Amino acid sequence: MGAFLSCGHDDEGFMGEETMLFELQFINAGMSGKIIKKEDLEFNEFVEFSLDSTFIKRRVFVDSTSIATGSYTLIESDGIDYFELNYEKGSYLIQSCGNSLKEWMSVLNDREIFNGGYLPCDGPGYGYELVK
């Protein structure tokens, strides 16, 4: 996890930045295995992590934007690093099965995160890439 936070984006450390901005790149449609690329979606989505352990998730449509906010913790479990997101209030943007205010995003490498929270209930997985 330390490597994730200290690895460079254009050879600059993330810790030197005020925020890390991830953009949705694809949706894994679940059991069908279909991958939907961002250019084929009706929206774009961003997750911005701030150094003060808060985050903002934005889903941007042509005519509107939905926003959800909360705090996050970086955790390690069974050798896998995660962002654990704790939302301030309920939102359709929370990507997990059930009625939880928590969401987990796996750190795949120093540039990519993945949320497979819907996959156990045959829902989609969301893949993001660092853009700033």
Side-chain angles (χ1 to χ4, degrees):
M1 188 167 355
F4 179 74
L5 290 174
S6 63
C7 286
H9 171 57
D10 296 327
D11 295 323
E12 297 172 19
F14 295 149
M15 295 305 285
E17 301 290 331
E18 288 295 315
T19 62
M20 292 184 296
L21 181 65
F22 289 86
E23 181 179 13
L24 181 66
Q25 299 298 308
F26 68 89
I27 294 177
N28 174 332
M31 290 190 69
S32 73
K34 182 178 180 183
I35 302 296
I36 305 167
K37 295 181 180 181
K38 74 177 182 177
E39 52 270 7
D40 297 325
L41 297 170
E42 295 179 1
F43 63 89
N44 201 352
E45 188 167 284
F46 300 90
V47 182
E48 184 173 1
F49 296 98
S50 297
L51 290 178
D52 65 359
S53 297
T54 60
F55 73 90
I56 300 171
K57 184 185 282 187
R58 292 179 181 88
R59 186 169 286 180
V60 181
F61 294 90
V62 172
D63 59 354
S64 66
T65 300
S66 298
I67 296 174
T69 60
S71 61
Y72 72 89
T73 306
L74 285 165
I75 60 172
E76 187 267 331
S77 178
D78 297 326
I80 299 172
D81 296 330
Y82 295 91
F83 282 100
E84 179 182 86
L85 282 58
N86 295 289
Y87 286 82
E88 293 174 351
K89 60 183 179 180
S91 170
Y92 79 93
L93 295 176
I94 300 172
Q95 299 162 355
S96 64
C97 296
N99 198 12
S100 175
L101 293 179
K102 288 190 182 224
E103 178 181 336
W104 294 269
M105 294 189 172
S106 304
V107 177
L108 302 178
N109 57 49
D110 67 345
R111 299 199 44 86
E112 298 174 298
I113 58 177
F114 183 77
N115 182 334
Y118 283 139
L119 293 175
C121 50
D122 193 25
Y126 293 75
Y128 301 84
E129 184 175 48
L130 183 70
V131 292
K132 173 189 172 275

